[in-house]
Amino acid sequence: QKEVEQDPGPLSVPEGAIVSLNCTYSNSAFQYFMWYRQYSRKGPELLMYTYSSGNKEDGRFTAQVDKSSKYISLFIRDSQPSDSATYLCAMSYAGNNRKLIWGLGTSLAVNP
Amino acid sequence: EADIYQTPRYLVIGTGKKITLECSQTMGHDKMYWYQQDPGMELHLIHYSYGVNSTEKGDLSSESTVSRIRTEHFPLTLESARPSHTSQYLCASSGPRDHTGELFFGEGSRLTVL
């Protein structure tokens, strides 16, 4: 069993929709939870990170961590065609990038 | 904006050739990384550097080698390329916000070995 599970999609939504992206994990020792966005033919870029449990909001993006369920989510409100990308979740045990564990990434297409 | 650069972006070579993928960053970051990204697979760390003259292999076994003679430069070399080395290679660095999981990635080098 993989430490981090992420449905690769693809996910296709109309412009303006609320998008929910999710990852589950098996190791309760994970403390830092990240969401990266990767456009086609580009490297990933950090979108949001959360330490331990709770919510974090940044503009149209909200990251949620539920450690009791070992489940993390990224919500995108009022989705735009420019949000079309692959979204990767990543986690680390001790805030050390040497030990990042990555999900497969979910491919999202927002249609005008 | 991140300042990390990879060359070449695309490379098609024949089996047995020696190749070097270049990676440079202008942010003064001590930590640098090489990841391999294949379709349908997670990102896998293949090399890691804490700083100058400090490198170690990552979690995914790789026949490539790296060097870190200067802070800003972290090249990856394959002495004899094979079709199994065909992949996307991503270079990254991290700085003071390392504990947040913040990595700055280059745009990648897509290698095809025929």
Side-chain angles (χ1 to χ4, degrees):
Chain A
Q1 183 187 4
K2 292 181 179 179
E3 286 190 277
V4 177
E5 299 278 0
Q6 183 176 12
D7 186 339
L11 184 60
S12 181
V13 301
E15 183 175 353
I18 296 174
V19 176
S20 172
L21 303 166
N22 312 294
C23 288
T24 58
Y25 61 96
S26 57
N27 195 325
S28 57
F30 287 133
Q31 293 285 344
Y32 286 84
F33 304 89
M34 283 72 70
W35 285 97
Y36 278 78
R37 177 176 62 196
Q38 184 174 21
Y39 290 114
S40 180
R41 303 187 187 282
K42 300 287 187 181
E45 58 177 333
L46 181 66
L47 205 55
M48 299 186 73
Y49 84 94
T50 310
Y51 172 68
S52 195
S53 283
N55 293 1
K56 189 170 186 178
E57 191 172 316
D58 184 1
R60 296 184 295 111
F61 298 89
T62 300
Q64 273 187 0
V65 175
D66 182 347
K67 293 194 76 179
S68 62
S69 301
K70 297 190 182 71
Y71 189 87
I72 69 169
S73 301
L74 178 71
F75 297 97
I76 308 174
R77 290 182 299 282
D78 187 25
S79 56
Q80 302 296 308
S82 58
D83 295 327
S84 298
T86 296
Y87 291 80
L88 302 100
C89 64
M91 308 176 190
S92 68
Y93 297 98
N96 185 334
N97 288 345
R98 170 65 180 82
K99 298 289 185 182
L100 279 182
I101 309 298
W102 296 83
L104 277 175
T106 300
S107 177
L108 171 68
V110 181
N111 305 303
Chain B
E1 184 163 320
D3 295 308
I4 181 163
Y5 308 100
Q6 290 185 244
T7 58
R9 290 290 317 279
Y10 303 94
L11 181 61
V12 181
I13 60 168
T15 296
K17 299 291 185 185
K18 177 181 179 179
I19 64 107
T20 296
L21 303 180
E22 302 286 351
C23 177
S24 295
Q25 52 99 359
T26 59
M27 296 171 281
H29 289 166
D30 285 327
K31 295 176 183 174
M32 295 190 73
Y33 315 74
W34 276 103
Y35 278 91
Q36 195 167 325
Q37 186 175 38
D38 295 305
M41 301 289 289
E42 303 89 346
L43 279 170
H44 284 292
L45 183 69
I46 53 174
H47 294 286
Y48 175 61
S49 172
Y50 291 92
V52 171
N53 294 324
S54 168
T55 63
E56 66 179 48
K57 289 193 177 293
D59 302 320
L60 182 67
S61 176
S62 174
E63 293 166 346
S64 58
T65 59
V66 294
S67 63
R68 189 91 183 274
I69 299 171
R70 302 196 317 263
T71 297
E72 62 271 22
H73 196 214
F74 191 37
L76 180 146
T77 298
L78 274 167
E79 290 294 333
S80 180
R82 294 203 301 271
S84 60
H85 296 139
T86 294
S87 187
Q88 163 99 313
Y89 293 86
L90 289 164
C91 181
S93 70
S94 64
R97 287 167 51 85
D98 176 86
H99 64 283
T100 66
E102 183 172 42
L103 297 177
F104 294 93
F105 283 89
E107 294 193 324
S109 292
R110 186 170 295 278
L111 173 65
T112 302
V113 184
L114 303 176

